[in-house]
Amino acid sequence: MSYQGKKNIPKITSDRLLIKGGRVVNDDQSFYADIYMEDGLIKQIGDNLIVPGGVKTIEANGKMVIPGGIDIHTHFQMPYRGTTTVDDFFLGSKAALAGGTTMIVDHVIPDPGSSLVEAFDRWRDWADEKACCDYTLHVDITHWSDSVKQEVETLIKEKGVNSFQVYMAYKDLYQMTNSELYEIFTFLGERGAIVQVHAENGEIIAEEQARMLEMGITGPEGHVLSRPEELEAEAVFRAVTIASQTNCPLYVTKVMSKSAADIISQARKKGNVVFGEPITASLGTDGTHYWSKNWAKAASFVTSPPLSPDPTTPDYLNTLLSSGDLNVTGSAHCTFSVAQKAIGKDDFTQIPEGVNGVEERMSLIWDKAVVTGKMDENMFVAVTSTNAAKILNLYPRKGRIAVGSDSDLVIWDTDGVRTITAKTHNSAAEYNIFEGMELRGAPLVVICQGKIVLEEGNLHATSGSGRFIPCSPYPDFAYKRVKARKQVTKILRAVPRGMYDGPVSDFLPMSRGGGSSARTSPTKQTPIRNLHHSGFSLAGSPTQRGVVCPRVSIHVVVLPPELIFLV
Amino acid sequence: MSGTGYQGKKCIPHLTSERLLIKGGRVVNDDQSCYADVYVEDGLIKQVGENLIVPGGVKVIEACGRMVIPGGIDVNTCFQKSYLGVSPVDDFYQGTKAALAGGTTMILDHVTPQPGDSLLEAFEKWQEAADRKSCCDYSLHVDIPQWHEGVKEELELLVQEKGINSFQVYMAYKDLFQMTDTELYEAFLFLKDVGAVVMVHAENGDLIAQEQSKILGMGITGPEGHPLSRPEELESEAVFRAITLGNRVNCPVYITKVMSKSAADTVAQARKKGCVVFGEPITASLATDGSHYWSKNWAKAAAYVTSPPLSPDPTTPDHLHTMLACGDLQVVGSAHCAFSTSQKAIGKDNFTLIPEGTNGVEERMGFVWDKAVAMGKMDENQFVAVTSTNAAKIFNLYPRKGRIAVGSDADIVIWEPEKIKTITAKLQFLFQAMDYNIFEGLECRGGPFLVVSQGKVVFEEGKLQVQQGTGRFIHRKPFPDYAYQRIKTRSMMTGRQGVNRGMYDGPVYDVPPTPKYITPAPSAKTSPTTHQPPPIRNLHQSNFSLSGAQADDNVPRRSGHRIVAPPGGRSNITSLG
């Protein structure tokens, strides 16, 4: 496949692998076949393959062979108030590989006012140096201006970024107004990018936070009390509305609550192009822990939107994931140490936000959804890998076991059981929010870029071996429908009517700024001068073209003459 | 009948002579129907029952088994809402006359001050105009054009002394009336504390502004641009947001002008989740649809312009009637705000300038009967509930208004279910001043046979006998039970408490005392009252000497400062538990 040509990385060319006797599971079907890989690519799939001699052979013994997972949402090495998250790109991507994830998508968060491209380059430097698996980047739009527009354009055209996140929360920092959101959605919709939203109503959160602090609630429970799930649902609803108005595909990051998920599935039923991403945390645990007596434990669950205190949430989200109402899973892995979390020990609004989950993601979904019979193995592949690849426009290079695809594969052990604990996890965090959970289903062998990185419990990750994978705009998965709709809406036309030539009432002129449309009269107008503007002479035709400027008619008509308009 | 005392002071001298007996009618309230006679004196209902003992010389009206219902209450009219200095053609006189002709004996008008105006002055202006002209009892809602500290005082005064218990806020009309979510939150919080009903004009003004300039940019300037730039999703989005705010603040929310199916569905869903929310469809959304915006006749198309717009989906009226019938929507208004064609023509070159408003005060009750009761969707009791009783309850007028009972005001309608009339502007010209009727040509079954307002017969055999200025302003007390009983209970229950924990005594990562612009904290540390806690620098700080040299702050440096385990091992509080 031609898209692969330029990307041959010399250092892995020697790897030749044959997986024998596995059951290949893609998102659409499962079948028994052998897989032969060379140069980091899948070269042959089938029975009785003819392969060169001396190839390393792995006996799968009938176990599932699935495309490596894609974690579509991580925050490795994220700077935060002069510190960074404890898992950098090395530790983070190592943890990913240990869990069967062979590609991660990290968020670039430029500081408001700074350059997006510079931030992107900085993130790339960090990741190129340390990542042990392939990666790509989302860029967050933290402010909006004409120069940002140009940078976004550059990122799409030259840098291989096709997804951008905007924030509806974090008032006075990242938060965008509805008008800005409308402009951004329009802009990105015209350029084939995916709009991701952090959906929470930041204005109400700010009010609620102030109220909580006033009530003397300063611990982590204040976090969830000030961010109730309806604020998440509200923002999702609003984002869906804006996306539908601007005909732009929408991606909701971190679906944390039942009501937010419901809004997404309702919108999908109405035909909106919207994708929802629950994360490991919301699929695996709930927000009751915010009330833990152990401050450090409670604080380790702090993330936004918060985990819902409703203990039935994980089950519900797993169900929606199984039915296809939610599409992809991320981890939003963003780990802080206890000492870092303690920045907010006296004020919950200061607690750095983020939970772990990159390593646990695939096992957790297997355990909660596949083992319980909600989901089949093909859907499992879809939500952990294939759908993400489609949204990122990397399919079928990633997210599928097919000839020509990257050889990112996992041999999945459906019966392997492991207990999650901070003592053995690969993250540097002292806490694991899934502590003590027994999960069924684990990777047995992980192959990344054609190399075995996990075998018999041993992880061989090489810092810096991860490649940046550029994403191109207009992913079919999101944009096919959008393009078709654009064609349809072009038909919008004015009704051809004769000029209205009847009488026009006398009225006060409205001072309107530059063609903007609402009935705006910023200056207060006293409606007293309702007399005949006898002194007011209309100097010919209105001077400004284009600017909508109501003309003042001089004639007050009391009784309209013989109205001919009745139909 | 409890609470008849409230009526004492309000006896109007010129009505005292009226004594009426309505004989042989079927009294229909929202809860039951029964055959009974009704005796009226001094503008009040004095007796209800059979074989009443009444003084001699009483005027007797034979109802002949017809329905006797409480007079309608129109919760939404704009008889004095001027636009760009242009006043609507139906003022309080014309408007209330039309109301009475349609069986409505009380109206609630909107006081619409401009931004910067005093609410109190505007209220007094409206009250003065209504006192002078109104022919039926009335009360007023006050719209809040802007939210600021000064408004609070006026609102308090209006509630405590002026007898106003409902205020409208706007989520649309950007840069004019529109409020931000923060302002809405504060307004809701304040209005809840004073016990008022928050009415919301629910449309997303930011998006409308964008859509309007887009539509104008496409060269669409006619009335069809109005619904194109205000699609119904923007209405349901705002309804959803308003309900979220109301639920957060624990405040009842009243959605004025429910115009679309999706907005109505949003209200119904919220009610199923337990939110205290009321929805008001209007005559226009119940009887016609937005397909007329595409009429080739400009004047006709413009006559339909109102906000939120009528939905172009022709199944909308039916859907809204179904929801009224099942109780998901509660009250019916008319949003009567009539502009003549020449006034509408202010926007002949630009749809955003067309004065907004449709007629409907006269047709309101007839259409609900025709489209809901005559179709078998709704029974006569629910008809009374949605046209009168629920409005009285929400706005704290019950049981003085909205019920036929001893002690209630004698606002009574004898309803004729089979009366058929065809609506046309020509026929209505007597009662309404407007030259275009949006229900033109529609046939409507059901109408008033006789209307009694304040104990006087004002409409009989198709003739109106009204007098300007007889309408009284009706005071309304705050905290209507219908809306606030649940709210009060909930606010007692939601006492939240923090978790009692020992002090966190583990290590704390050092952060720059003032968060630098370069690395702002990515959580909403924004609210003005949020205290930035002074970072306590007492722990593990002795070797920290980065006082000035922070040029590399945007470069990740994680080695020196991370504390993997606190000295002396983990303390209790930080251990896994």
Side-chain angles (χ1 to χ4, degrees), chain A residues 72-73 105-108 136-140 161 163 196 392:
Chain A
I72 196 159
H73 188 161
V105 190
D106 205 76
H107 277 270
V108 175
T136 189
L137 297 170
H138 308 294
V139 175
D140 294 5
V161 176
S163 47
Q196 306 193 314
L392 293 165

Side-chain angles (χ1 to χ4, degrees), chain B residues 483-535:
Chain B
Y484 268 94
Q485 235 171 27
R486 286 172 287 171
I487 296 287
K488 281 180 190 164
T489 313
R490 287 178 199 182
S491 42
M492 283 188 288
M493 279 176 57
T494 52
R496 292 204 188 89
Q497 279 188 335
V499 175
N500 286 319
R501 303 185 175 89
M503 278 292 287
Y504 172 85
D505 56 357
V508 178
Y509 199 92
D510 176 54
V511 284
T514 45
K516 281 163 299 179
Y517 182 56
I518 298 235
T519 52
S523 70
K525 285 124 193 179
T526 55
S527 41
T529 49
T530 303
H531 341 282
Q532 194 87 348

